[in-house]
Amino acid sequence: MDSWNSIYEEVAYGVLGWISFLSWSLCFYPQVLLNYRRKSVVGFNFDFPALNLTKHTSYLVYNAAMYFNPEVQRQYHEKYGLNQMIPVGLNDVVFSIHALSLTIFTMYQIFIYERGTQKVSKTCIAITAIIWTSALVCIIIAWPKHSWLWLISVFNTFQVIITTIKYIPQAVTNFNRKSTVGWSIGFVFFDLFGGLFSFGQMCAQSIDQGSVVNFYGNLGKLLLSLEVMLFDLLFIVQHYVLYPEERDKGNMVVPTEEAEPFIDSGMQRNKGSASKDDSTSTGINDLTIVAVAGKPDLKSGSVLAMEIDDRRAI
């Protein structure tokens, strides 16, 4: 019961699972770093992390219960057979914990960075309320009968439903803006690889057991992998084909608070002295250089300082 037939499939299962974990874990960081670098979350749809919070909470409940709870495992074997392996690995549990933590941190960034007029949609709020109300009802139903396998399967179903929904707002946002600026393509690639290797892990277990029970025994994980790959391919098409970055740069407006002044200390001193020069009709009271797409002819601070001195000498 519950054992591998081949050491090679067992190793492949472990390797694919941890590669999937690594890919899916790393996929959160490009968006986090992009938000940090821009000090802005404009272009990042807030429905995505809001739905992700419910999704990863539901997935953590399922994975942790299936992996650690003996009663849940007993009910699984009663339903699918004593010779069937538990379809959740340690990498699934660790991923859920990490994903939930990074989702909470991303929501924290939304509160501290520039967000413009963006906000969580009423539709997202309604969906979240329905999901958690349904979860509470299911807990009340399952408690007297100790139907724990059924209950965590419901949570697994919730995460599948939210996975389907959560990508749609961002895809629509990209479509309406005709741009993917603010949405990290790095996230998309890591997410895609995570789904691919997660599906490969399930295939390794299925080949070893000579059965497809692990596919419908953990239908949520199967559908999660397929949905992720489908939406990520859509985002790749949006980023590279429909709304390429080169075209986005031509229409990009850099907010004043995001502009980075390329001014050295010498220029700051020149700025102050120039404002007191009575021999010219115009003093240099402020100097801020903002990078403009398509005009890569910015000069260094020292060269600009020399030009300022030349103007004062005229």
Side-chain angles (χ1 to χ4, degrees):
M1 178 184 74
D2 229 10
S3 60
W4 289 91
N5 296 317
S6 169
I7 186 64
Y8 299 108
E9 269 93 25
E10 182 179 6
V11 171
Y13 177 88
V15 171
L16 291 171
W18 285 108
I19 292 177
S20 173
F21 158 76
L22 183 62
S23 297
W24 265 340
S25 296
L26 289 175
C27 78
F28 289 92
Y29 290 95
Q31 187 66 54
V32 168
L33 294 174
L34 179 63
N35 296 342
Y36 173 77
R37 181 175 59 82
R38 298 172 69 225
K39 299 296 186 293
S40 169
V41 289
V42 175
F44 178 50
N45 192 286
F46 296 169
D47 288 2
F48 185 81
L51 292 171
N52 244 356
L53 184 65
T54 298
K55 185 261 184 187
H56 288 303
T57 302
S58 301
Y59 201 34
L60 177 58
V61 169
Y62 173 81
N63 285 331
M66 181 67 79
Y67 188 79
F68 291 112
N69 193 298
E71 179 61 20
V72 171
Q73 294 176 356
R74 183 187 65 78
Q75 292 180 16
Y76 181 87
H77 286 133
E78 285 182 354
K79 182 174 182 179
Y80 295 107
L82 295 177
N83 62 332
Q84 295 300 323
M85 299 182 66
I86 298 300
V88 171
L90 179 60
N91 65 280
D92 296 312
V93 180
V94 176
F95 163 74
S96 296
I97 296 172
H98 180 269
L100 182 59
S101 302
L102 264 293
T103 298
I104 294 173
F105 183 76
T106 303
M107 296 188 73
Y108 168 72
Q109 288 186 311
I110 290 175
F111 284 101
I112 65 174
Y113 291 149
E114 172 63 33
R115 56 183 178 272
T117 59
Q118 294 178 196
K119 59 184 179 179
V120 177
S121 70
K122 294 180 179 179
T123 301
C124 175
I125 296 174
I127 292 172
T128 302
I130 291 172
I131 290 291
W132 284 112
T133 301
S134 301
L136 180 60
V137 171
C138 290
I139 291 173
I140 295 173
I141 294 173
W143 196 280
K145 300 180 181 179
H146 294 176
S147 303
W148 308 127
L149 179 63
W150 172 80
L151 179 61
I152 68 168
S153 297
V154 169
F155 276 92
N156 201 18
T157 301
F158 287 159
Q159 71 92 10
V160 172
I161 294 173
I162 296 175
T163 300
T164 304
I165 297 173
K166 73 173 185 176
Y167 289 105
I168 295 176
Q170 186 65 55
V172 172
T173 297
N174 295 344
F175 173 77
N176 290 336
R177 297 171 67 233
K178 298 298 184 289
S179 170
T180 59
V181 171
W183 174 241
S184 174
I185 193 63
F187 164 87
V188 173
F189 279 109
F190 281 123
D191 198 36
L192 176 62
F193 292 144
L196 182 62
F197 285 111
S198 178
F199 181 76
Q201 184 188 35
M202 299 188 75
C203 290
Q205 182 175 345
S206 180
I207 293 172
D208 179 83
Q209 299 293 297
S211 169
V212 294
V213 170
N214 68 297
F215 283 108
Y216 59 82
N218 191 356
L219 190 60
K221 185 175 181 178
L222 172 65
L223 294 178
L224 171 64
S225 301
L226 297 178
E227 290 172 341
V228 161
M229 290 188 286
L230 177 64
F231 276 102
D232 287 335
L233 290 174
L234 171 62
F235 288 129
I236 289 173
V237 171
Q238 284 186 321
H239 186 79
Y240 290 106
V241 180
L242 300 179
Y243 322 121
E245 188 175 359
E246 290 75 13
R247 182 168 52 188
D248 288 338
K249 287 181 179 179
N251 299 320
M252 188 183 304
V253 177
V254 182
T256 303
E257 63 271 17
E258 292 184 25
E260 297 184 3
F262 291 80
I263 308 176
D264 59 21
S265 57
M267 293 178 65
Q268 293 284 8
R269 289 192 297 269
N270 286 331
K271 177 183 68 175
S273 61
S275 61
K276 300 176 182 179
D277 191 349
D278 297 332
S279 63
T280 57
S281 59
T282 303
I284 303 175
N285 297 318
D286 189 21
L287 180 59
T288 301
I289 302 174
V290 178
V292 180
K295 296 182 179 181
D297 56 350
L298 296 179
K299 302 178 182 179
S300 66
S302 60
V303 175
L304 288 170
M306 293 173 62
E307 290 186 356
I308 292 171
D309 291 336
D310 290 342
R311 290 180 58 184
R312 292 175 56 198
I314 299 175

